[in-house]
Amino acid sequence: MEAMLSHQHFPSSAIRRRLCPLNLHNRLTRPSSCLPLRAQKSGITEGSDSALEGKVSDLKISEQEVGMYQNEVVESQGIRIRRRPPTGPPLHYVGPFEFRLQNEGNTPRNILEEIVWHKDKEVAQMKERKPLYTLKKALDNVPPAKDFIGALRSAHQRTGLPGLIAEVKKASPSRGILREDFNPVEIAQAYEKGGAACLSVLTDDKYFKGSYENLQAIREAGVKCPLLLKEFIVEAWQIYYGRSKGADAVLLIASVLPDLDIKYMIKICKILKMATLVEVHDEREMDRVLAIEGVELIGINNRNLETFEVDLGITKKLLEGERGELIRQKDILVVGESGLFTPEDIAFVQEAGVKAVLVGESLIKQSDPGKAISSLFGRDISE
């Protein structure tokens, strides 16, 4: 709805409940809720509730998609990460005591699912403190977004190597604290000096020890590289908030988001002049994403979501044959993610068809992250 995307005032609560694009997952999850209308056209700018009502018929999607609830979407699209617990923890009574039992319906199956369940609650709390309409003034004062994809293409053309997205990351769930002396601004400046085309900034606090404040501090410190909001996006509100803190691009994870959410969020990002890095892990996710209009940047994560094992062969497999040809036809820029530690690793994914790489752990753990870039690529890429 353009009224939201242009940061106009919200319509009345009745219309807002029907059209608010930030609550698709709620509408998909609760059978009693109204139908999802997220893939909305941009013809509504402002006006009365009746004018908005008159547009509802224009905003409908196919009945097959509209009628799906969350579990059906998950099944039909092969999404492995459940957005929230399917069932609440059952109560059990023994005499005067009450206790709860964990079961498959209320226990995360892997770390990404645990993160997403926590993120859903966290974002709800953040929205209460800072509703979307309060971001209007902040967005008006934020400098225009930098060209994230253009920076990667330029670096690739300049060096003949994949453009580097260097990650500012203090910790991870699997590795713990990666760097004790963590100064996000100094690390970002070292990356930029070392030849990074773009930066990825972790903003998750609980699992990665990051923050939106780190993102804002890097942008305000004068770092010129475009910045990727490395967050677990479950609601469009996070995109607006990230842009208000200086983000130029956002990560969307296909394992978490249904196609309708990805389509809608890409439209939001285009209006905000932001890039979207859509991350995939397997063939089914790649096929889903390639079918979505407007995708320009795809990240292939070589890490298994459930076991955390890394296999660079995933990148090669996903870029072979018809998929690789379709990517070339669409002129989609592919980013290799995870498991990149040596010049040989870089050469392997580049040979597979990658034109950019996102690297965190192998750089952040070095005493001089800037010099670590030269070691990763086998030569100085700063000039």
Side-chain angles (χ1 to χ4, degrees), residues 98-119:
E98 172 188 308
F99 64 96
R100 296 179 185 271
L101 292 178
Q102 288 187 318
N103 56 46
E104 198 276 338
N106 63 48
T107 304
R109 295 180 295 198
N110 54 58
I111 186 61
L112 182 53
E113 195 163 87
E114 179 183 335
I115 292 171
V116 168
W117 289 7
H118 173 76
K119 190 63 61 177

PDB file of all heavy atoms in Angstrom, residues 98-119:
ATOM      1  N   GLU A  98       2.050 -27.648  38.804  1.00  0.00           N
ATOM      2  CA  GLU A  98       1.804 -27.441  37.377  1.00  0.00           C
ATOM      3  C   GLU A  98       3.150 -27.398  36.671  1.00  0.00           C
ATOM      4  O   GLU A  98       4.088 -26.754  37.126  1.00  0.00           O
ATOM      5  CB  GLU A  98       1.056 -26.121  37.167  1.00  0.00           C
ATOM      6  CG  GLU A  98       0.902 -25.691  35.717  1.00  0.00           C
ATOM      7  CD  GLU A  98       0.322 -24.304  35.607  1.00  0.00           C
ATOM      8  OE1 GLU A  98      -0.725 -24.044  36.226  1.00  0.00           O
ATOM      9  OE2 GLU A  98       0.939 -23.472  34.915  1.00  0.00           O
ATOM     10  N   PHE A  99       3.283 -28.081  35.563  1.00  0.00           N
ATOM     11  CA  PHE A  99       4.530 -28.014  34.808  1.00  0.00           C
ATOM     12  C   PHE A  99       4.227 -28.133  33.317  1.00  0.00           C
ATOM     13  O   PHE A  99       3.131 -28.509  32.914  1.00  0.00           O
ATOM     14  CB  PHE A  99       5.507 -29.098  35.256  1.00  0.00           C
ATOM     15  CG  PHE A  99       5.039 -30.509  34.992  1.00  0.00           C
ATOM     16  CD1 PHE A  99       5.438 -31.191  33.846  1.00  0.00           C
ATOM     17  CD2 PHE A  99       4.203 -31.162  35.893  1.00  0.00           C
ATOM     18  CE1 PHE A  99       5.012 -32.479  33.607  1.00  0.00           C
ATOM     19  CE2 PHE A  99       3.774 -32.456  35.660  1.00  0.00           C
ATOM     20  CZ  PHE A  99       4.182 -33.115  34.502  1.00  0.00           C
ATOM     21  N   ARG A 100       5.214 -27.814  32.516  1.00  0.00           N
ATOM     22  CA  ARG A 100       5.039 -27.828  31.068  1.00  0.00           C
ATOM     23  C   ARG A 100       6.021 -28.827  30.448  1.00  0.00           C
ATOM     24  O   ARG A 100       7.169 -28.915  30.851  1.00  0.00           O
ATOM     25  CB  ARG A 100       5.280 -26.434  30.476  1.00  0.00           C
ATOM     26  CG  ARG A 100       4.269 -25.405  30.937  1.00  0.00           C
ATOM     27  CD  ARG A 100       4.559 -24.040  30.335  1.00  0.00           C
ATOM     28  NE  ARG A 100       3.645 -23.029  30.868  1.00  0.00           N
ATOM     29  CZ  ARG A 100       2.473 -22.730  30.345  1.00  0.00           C
ATOM     30  NH1 ARG A 100       2.059 -23.398  29.276  1.00  0.00           N
ATOM     31  NH2 ARG A 100       1.708 -21.803  30.872  1.00  0.00           N
ATOM     32  N   LEU A 101       5.557 -29.529  29.451  1.00  0.00           N
ATOM     33  CA  LEU A 101       6.392 -30.471  28.726  1.00  0.00           C
ATOM     34  C   LEU A 101       6.753 -29.911  27.362  1.00  0.00           C
ATOM     35  O   LEU A 101       5.910 -29.332  26.676  1.00  0.00           O
ATOM     36  CB  LEU A 101       5.657 -31.810  28.538  1.00  0.00           C
ATOM     37  CG  LEU A 101       5.390 -32.639  29.784  1.00  0.00           C
ATOM     38  CD1 LEU A 101       4.619 -33.893  29.392  1.00  0.00           C
ATOM     39  CD2 LEU A 101       6.697 -33.006  30.469  1.00  0.00           C
ATOM     40  N   GLN A 102       8.002 -30.079  26.989  1.00  0.00           N
ATOM     41  CA  GLN A 102       8.402 -29.694  25.647  1.00  0.00           C
ATOM     42  C   GLN A 102       7.960 -30.770  24.670  1.00  0.00           C
ATOM     43  O   GLN A 102       7.972 -31.955  24.977  1.00  0.00           O
ATOM     44  CB  GLN A 102       9.920 -29.527  25.564  1.00  0.00           C
ATOM     45  CG  GLN A 102      10.430 -28.281  26.273  1.00  0.00           C
ATOM     46  CD  GLN A 102      11.905 -28.074  26.017  1.00  0.00           C
ATOM     47  OE1 GLN A 102      12.680 -29.020  26.031  1.00  0.00           O
ATOM     48  NE2 GLN A 102      12.297 -26.842  25.779  1.00  0.00           N
ATOM     49  N   ASN A 103       7.570 -30.327  23.486  1.00  0.00           N
ATOM     50  CA  ASN A 103       7.250 -31.285  22.444  1.00  0.00           C
ATOM     51  C   ASN A 103       7.638 -30.696  21.096  1.00  0.00           C
ATOM     52  O   ASN A 103       8.116 -29.568  21.009  1.00  0.00           O
ATOM     53  CB  ASN A 103       5.756 -31.652  22.478  1.00  0.00           C
ATOM     54  CG  ASN A 103       4.857 -30.429  22.357  1.00  0.00           C
ATOM     55  OD1 ASN A 103       5.096 -29.568  21.507  1.00  0.00           O
ATOM     56  ND2 ASN A 103       3.847 -30.358  23.216  1.00  0.00           N
ATOM     57  N   GLU A 104       7.443 -31.471  20.035  1.00  0.00           N
ATOM     58  CA  GLU A 104       7.879 -31.051  18.711  1.00  0.00           C
ATOM     59  C   GLU A 104       7.199 -29.768  18.275  1.00  0.00           C
ATOM     60  O   GLU A 104       7.749 -28.989  17.506  1.00  0.00           O
ATOM     61  CB  GLU A 104       7.588 -32.175  17.713  1.00  0.00           C
ATOM     62  CG  GLU A 104       8.358 -32.068  16.389  1.00  0.00           C
ATOM     63  CD  GLU A 104       7.670 -31.157  15.383  1.00  0.00           C
ATOM     64  OE1 GLU A 104       6.450 -30.953  15.510  1.00  0.00           O
ATOM     65  OE2 GLU A 104       8.362 -30.641  14.492  1.00  0.00           O
ATOM     66  N   GLY A 105       6.002 -29.532  18.799  1.00  0.00           N
ATOM     67  CA  GLY A 105       5.261 -28.350  18.399  1.00  0.00           C
ATOM     68  C   GLY A 105       5.696 -27.069  19.063  1.00  0.00           C
ATOM     69  O   GLY A 105       5.362 -25.987  18.597  1.00  0.00           O
ATOM     70  N   ASN A 106       6.453 -27.144  20.170  1.00  0.00           N
ATOM     71  CA  ASN A 106       6.867 -25.908  20.831  1.00  0.00           C
ATOM     72  C   ASN A 106       8.372 -25.832  21.072  1.00  0.00           C
ATOM     73  O   ASN A 106       8.843 -24.962  21.785  1.00  0.00           O
ATOM     74  CB  ASN A 106       6.120 -25.730  22.165  1.00  0.00           C
ATOM     75  CG  ASN A 106       6.430 -26.826  23.161  1.00  0.00           C
ATOM     76  OD1 ASN A 106       7.589 -27.159  23.390  1.00  0.00           O
ATOM     77  ND2 ASN A 106       5.398 -27.395  23.772  1.00  0.00           N
ATOM     78  N   THR A 107       9.123 -26.739  20.447  1.00  0.00           N
ATOM     79  CA  THR A 107      10.573 -26.754  20.591  1.00  0.00           C
ATOM     80  C   THR A 107      11.229 -26.488  19.235  1.00  0.00           C
ATOM     81  O   THR A 107      10.927 -27.187  18.265  1.00  0.00           O
ATOM     82  CB  THR A 107      11.070 -28.109  21.127  1.00  0.00           C
ATOM     83  OG1 THR A 107      10.408 -28.397  22.353  1.00  0.00           O
ATOM     84  CG2 THR A 107      12.573 -28.092  21.352  1.00  0.00           C
ATOM     85  N   PRO A 108      12.117 -25.492  19.123  1.00  0.00           N
ATOM     86  CA  PRO A 108      12.795 -25.220  17.846  1.00  0.00           C
ATOM     87  C   PRO A 108      13.576 -26.439  17.373  1.00  0.00           C
ATOM     88  O   PRO A 108      14.231 -27.119  18.163  1.00  0.00           O
ATOM     89  CB  PRO A 108      13.738 -24.058  18.186  1.00  0.00           C
ATOM     90  CG  PRO A 108      13.151 -23.418  19.391  1.00  0.00           C
ATOM     91  CD  PRO A 108      12.523 -24.529  20.170  1.00  0.00           C
ATOM     92  N   ARG A 109      13.527 -26.705  16.086  1.00  0.00           N
ATOM     93  CA  ARG A 109      14.206 -27.872  15.528  1.00  0.00           C
ATOM     94  C   ARG A 109      15.657 -27.601  15.191  1.00  0.00           C
ATOM     95  O   ARG A 109      16.442 -28.542  15.006  1.00  0.00           O
ATOM     96  CB  ARG A 109      13.454 -28.358  14.280  1.00  0.00           C
ATOM     97  CG  ARG A 109      12.062 -28.876  14.608  1.00  0.00           C
ATOM     98  CD  ARG A 109      11.307 -29.347  13.383  1.00  0.00           C
ATOM     99  NE  ARG A 109      11.010 -28.264  12.459  1.00  0.00           N
ATOM    100  CZ  ARG A 109      10.080 -28.334  11.500  1.00  0.00           C
ATOM    101  NH1 ARG A 109       9.367 -29.443  11.368  1.00  0.00           N
ATOM    102  NH2 ARG A 109       9.861 -27.316  10.700  1.00  0.00           N
ATOM    103  N   ASN A 110      16.047 -26.333  15.086  1.00  0.00           N
ATOM    104  CA  ASN A 110      17.442 -25.975  14.806  1.00  0.00           C
ATOM    105  C   ASN A 110      17.661 -24.537  15.253  1.00  0.00           C
ATOM    106  O   ASN A 110      16.718 -23.849  15.664  1.00  0.00           O
ATOM    107  CB  ASN A 110      17.784 -26.166  13.323  1.00  0.00           C
ATOM    108  CG  ASN A 110      16.817 -25.432  12.409  1.00  0.00           C
ATOM    109  OD1 ASN A 110      16.661 -24.224  12.513  1.00  0.00           O
ATOM    110  ND2 ASN A 110      16.147 -26.168  11.517  1.00  0.00           N
ATOM    111  N   ILE A 111      18.893 -24.082  15.165  1.00  0.00           N
ATOM    112  CA  ILE A 111      19.239 -22.767  15.699  1.00  0.00           C
ATOM    113  C   ILE A 111      18.556 -21.646  14.925  1.00  0.00           C
ATOM    114  O   ILE A 111      18.135 -20.639  15.507  1.00  0.00           O
ATOM    115  CB  ILE A 111      20.780 -22.558  15.733  1.00  0.00           C
ATOM    116  CG1 ILE A 111      21.133 -21.238  16.418  1.00  0.00           C
ATOM    117  CG2 ILE A 111      21.355 -22.615  14.326  1.00  0.00           C
ATOM    118  CD1 ILE A 111      20.680 -21.137  17.856  1.00  0.00           C
ATOM    119  N   LEU A 112      18.405 -21.793  13.608  1.00  0.00           N
ATOM    120  CA  LEU A 112      17.749 -20.734  12.840  1.00  0.00           C
ATOM    121  C   LEU A 112      16.287 -20.597  13.244  1.00  0.00           C
ATOM    122  O   LEU A 112      15.773 -19.487  13.380  1.00  0.00           O
ATOM    123  CB  LEU A 112      17.857 -21.015  11.338  1.00  0.00           C
ATOM    124  CG  LEU A 112      17.237 -19.953  10.417  1.00  0.00           C
ATOM    125  CD1 LEU A 112      17.757 -18.560  10.736  1.00  0.00           C
ATOM    126  CD2 LEU A 112      17.494 -20.304   8.951  1.00  0.00           C
ATOM    127  N   GLU A 113      15.629 -21.720  13.485  1.00  0.00           N
ATOM    128  CA  GLU A 113      14.241 -21.660  13.929  1.00  0.00           C
ATOM    129  C   GLU A 113      14.142 -21.012  15.312  1.00  0.00           C
ATOM    130  O   GLU A 113      13.244 -20.213  15.576  1.00  0.00           O
ATOM    131  CB  GLU A 113      13.647 -23.067  13.966  1.00  0.00           C
ATOM    132  CG  GLU A 113      12.135 -23.078  14.066  1.00  0.00           C
ATOM    133  CD  GLU A 113      11.543 -24.421  13.695  1.00  0.00           C
ATOM    134  OE1 GLU A 113      11.431 -25.286  14.595  1.00  0.00           O
ATOM    135  OE2 GLU A 113      11.201 -24.625  12.522  1.00  0.00           O
ATOM    136  N   GLU A 114      15.081 -21.322  16.185  1.00  0.00           N
ATOM    137  CA  GLU A 114      15.100 -20.687  17.509  1.00  0.00           C
ATOM    138  C   GLU A 114      15.264 -19.178  17.386  1.00  0.00           C
ATOM    139  O   GLU A 114      14.579 -18.397  18.061  1.00  0.00           O
ATOM    140  CB  GLU A 114      16.241 -21.270  18.349  1.00  0.00           C
ATOM    141  CG  GLU A 114      16.359 -20.651  19.732  1.00  0.00           C
ATOM    142  CD  GLU A 114      17.545 -21.191  20.519  1.00  0.00           C
ATOM    143  OE1 GLU A 114      17.986 -22.325  20.240  1.00  0.00           O
ATOM    144  OE2 GLU A 114      18.030 -20.481  21.419  1.00  0.00           O
ATOM    145  N   ILE A 115      16.172 -18.756  16.499  1.00  0.00           N
ATOM    146  CA  ILE A 115      16.402 -17.328  16.299  1.00  0.00           C
ATOM    147  C   ILE A 115      15.143 -16.639  15.773  1.00  0.00           C
ATOM    148  O   ILE A 115      14.753 -15.562  16.240  1.00  0.00           O
ATOM    149  CB  ILE A 115      17.583 -17.116  15.324  1.00  0.00           C
ATOM    150  CG1 ILE A 115      18.901 -17.573  15.970  1.00  0.00           C
ATOM    151  CG2 ILE A 115      17.681 -15.648  14.909  1.00  0.00           C
ATOM    152  CD1 ILE A 115      20.071 -17.599  15.007  1.00  0.00           C
ATOM    153  N   VAL A 116      14.500 -17.271  14.798  1.00  0.00           N
ATOM    154  CA  VAL A 116      13.308 -16.674  14.188  1.00  0.00           C
ATOM    155  C   VAL A 116      12.171 -16.556  15.204  1.00  0.00           C
ATOM    156  O   VAL A 116      11.470 -15.543  15.247  1.00  0.00           O
ATOM    157  CB  VAL A 116      12.874 -17.502  12.960  1.00  0.00           C
ATOM    158  CG1 VAL A 116      11.488 -17.092  12.485  1.00  0.00           C
ATOM    159  CG2 VAL A 116      13.889 -17.335  11.834  1.00  0.00           C
ATOM    160  N   TRP A 117      11.978 -17.571  16.029  1.00  0.00           N
ATOM    161  CA  TRP A 117      10.920 -17.503  17.044  1.00  0.00           C
ATOM    162  C   TRP A 117      11.187 -16.373  18.024  1.00  0.00           C
ATOM    163  O   TRP A 117      10.277 -15.646  18.417  1.00  0.00           O
ATOM    164  CB  TRP A 117      10.814 -18.829  17.791  1.00  0.00           C
ATOM    165  CG  TRP A 117      10.245 -19.941  16.959  1.00  0.00           C
ATOM    166  CD1 TRP A 117       9.966 -19.907  15.614  1.00  0.00           C
ATOM    167  CD2 TRP A 117       9.898 -21.243  17.410  1.00  0.00           C
ATOM    168  NE1 TRP A 117       9.480 -21.123  15.212  1.00  0.00           N
ATOM    169  CE2 TRP A 117       9.416 -21.964  16.280  1.00  0.00           C
ATOM    170  CE3 TRP A 117       9.949 -21.884  18.640  1.00  0.00           C
ATOM    171  CZ2 TRP A 117       8.991 -23.281  16.367  1.00  0.00           C
ATOM    172  CZ3 TRP A 117       9.521 -23.207  18.731  1.00  0.00           C
ATOM    173  CH2 TRP A 117       9.042 -23.886  17.604  1.00  0.00           C
ATOM    174  N   HIS A 118      12.457 -16.220  18.421  1.00  0.00           N
ATOM    175  CA  HIS A 118      12.808 -15.120  19.321  1.00  0.00           C
ATOM    176  C   HIS A 118      12.635 -13.777  18.613  1.00  0.00           C
ATOM    177  O   HIS A 118      12.137 -12.805  19.202  1.00  0.00           O
ATOM    178  CB  HIS A 118      14.245 -15.276  19.801  1.00  0.00           C
ATOM    179  CG  HIS A 118      14.744 -14.104  20.596  1.00  0.00           C
ATOM    180  ND1 HIS A 118      14.378 -13.870  21.897  1.00  0.00           N
ATOM    181  CD2 HIS A 118      15.554 -13.059  20.238  1.00  0.00           C
ATOM    182  CE1 HIS A 118      14.949 -12.762  22.330  1.00  0.00           C
ATOM    183  NE2 HIS A 118      15.660 -12.250  21.342  1.00  0.00           N
ATOM    184  N   LYS A 119      13.023 -13.724  17.337  1.00  0.00           N
ATOM    185  CA  LYS A 119      12.956 -12.467  16.594  1.00  0.00           C
ATOM    186  C   LYS A 119      11.518 -11.985  16.451  1.00  0.00           C
ATOM    187  O   LYS A 119      11.240 -10.778  16.513  1.00  0.00           O
ATOM    188  CB  LYS A 119      13.594 -12.648  15.218  1.00  0.00           C
ATOM    189  CG  LYS A 119      13.803 -11.374  14.428  1.00  0.00           C
ATOM    190  CD  LYS A 119      14.766 -10.426  15.125  1.00  0.00           C
ATOM    191  CE  LYS A 119      16.147 -11.037  15.313  1.00  0.00           C
ATOM    192  NZ  LYS A 119      17.084 -10.058  15.923  1.00  0.00           N
TER     193      LYS A 119
END
